[in-house]
Amino acid sequence: MKRLLYVLATALLSFGLLTACSSDKSSNNGTNDLSKSNQEENEKANRTDKAKGDTSSDDFDDQPDLKLGDTAQIEDTLGKYEVTMESIKQVPDINGEGPQLEKLFIADITVKNIGDTTIEAKDVMDNFMFADEKETSGFPDEAKFFGMEEIKGELQPGKTITGKAVFDSYGNDTYYIFIDVGLVASKAVKNQVIWTISEDEITS
């Protein structure tokens, strides 16, 4: 009789242990499944947020073959705008100050905001370089150095400003105005534009 009771007690204990283990396994599987589901939802949300945060549109291609009088369309991290090189002339000096290099040029330039945000015209002008050779870093607008008013001021969407830029350069029979190559390489400006200007087009 005692042996029978011992066998029944052992059987009941084994059954209880098996039930508990099965329950724990089921519970762990449920927790793991929930954790995996939450992780997948979080990863999906992160991908969506990243896509929303990428506002790069790259609307404009490079424009390397512009001539005097042509209008370029440019996009940078601050906005979108058009720039027109209206005309350019060579002068011997400005306010009694001669060139630091070889020749002085004054360019008439128009900037138009074609984006949806306000831009600063001076920031646009700071992007440009002038050079007598195509594969060089070039020289910036020196209007302030020569005592001339810079092209500056806030431009609301749709607004335009026209002014003068001053370039001090070495002499050649062809000149180039372009976006600073470092800004294009770093994607601060999203497309390159280049005006090629022959000496015959420059007035004096």
Side-chain angles (χ1 to χ4, degrees):
M1 184 65 177
K2 287 182 179 181
R3 182 177 179 79
L4 179 58
L5 290 174
Y6 176 78
V7 172
L8 289 174
T10 301
L12 289 172
L13 180 60
S14 298
F15 181 79
L17 290 173
L18 287 172
T19 302
C21 289
S22 177
S23 177
D24 288 342
K25 184 177 180 181
S26 176
S27 177
N28 287 337
N29 286 340
T31 302
N32 290 338
D33 289 344
L34 181 60
S35 177
K36 183 178 180 181
S37 177
N38 287 339
Q39 182 179 357
E40 289 174 350
E41 287 298 322
N42 288 336
E43 289 175 352
K44 182 178 180 181
N46 288 337
R47 289 194 297 268
T48 301
D49 289 342
K50 184 177 180 181
K52 288 180 179 178
D54 184 4
T55 57
S56 173
S57 57
D58 295 333
D59 284 346
F60 307 130
D61 294 328
D62 290 344
Q63 297 147 60
D65 301 314
L66 299 169
K67 302 297 183 183
L68 194 63
D70 287 347
T71 298
Q73 293 183 315
I74 304 160
E75 180 179 3
D76 63 20
T77 54
L78 301 178
K80 300 176 185 178
Y81 44 88
E82 290 180 344
V83 176
T84 305
M85 295 293 162
E86 307 284 1
S87 63
I88 186 168
K89 67 179 179 179
Q90 182 185 344
V91 295
D93 64 81
I94 299 173
N95 297 324
E97 185 76 39
Q100 301 295 301
L101 298 176
E102 290 182 5
K103 294 186 177 183
L104 273 180
F105 301 95
I106 300 177
D108 290 302
I109 299 174
T110 298
V111 179
K112 180 179 180 180
N113 185 354
I114 58 173
D116 299 325
T117 59
T118 299
I119 61 174
E120 171 56 55
K122 179 66 166 60
D123 291 339
V124 173
M125 293 306 303
D126 286 344
N127 292 339
F128 287 99
M129 294 292 166
F130 183 99
D132 64 302
E133 295 181 3
K134 204 168 189 177
E135 302 298 328
T136 59
S137 56
F139 304 99
D141 175 17
E142 297 283 6
K144 185 176 181 180
F145 177 82
F146 286 94
M148 292 185 63
E149 185 175 355
E150 299 174 287
I151 299 175
K152 61 183 180 180
E154 286 190 350
L155 281 179
Q156 300 290 334
K159 297 299 182 180
T160 300
I161 188 172
T162 298
K164 298 182 184 298
V166 176
F167 299 111
D168 191 347
S169 174
Y170 295 105
N172 207 335
D173 56 1
T174 305
Y175 299 91
Y176 306 91
I177 299 176
F178 52 91
I179 300 289
D180 186 322
V181 293
L183 295 177
V184 177
S186 67
K187 301 298 184 182
V189 179
K190 299 178 182 179
N191 60 304
Q192 179 62 277
V193 299
I194 304 173
W195 286 267
T196 302
I197 304 166
S198 70
E199 191 173 37
D200 294 340
E201 296 176 285
I202 299 173
T203 61
S204 58

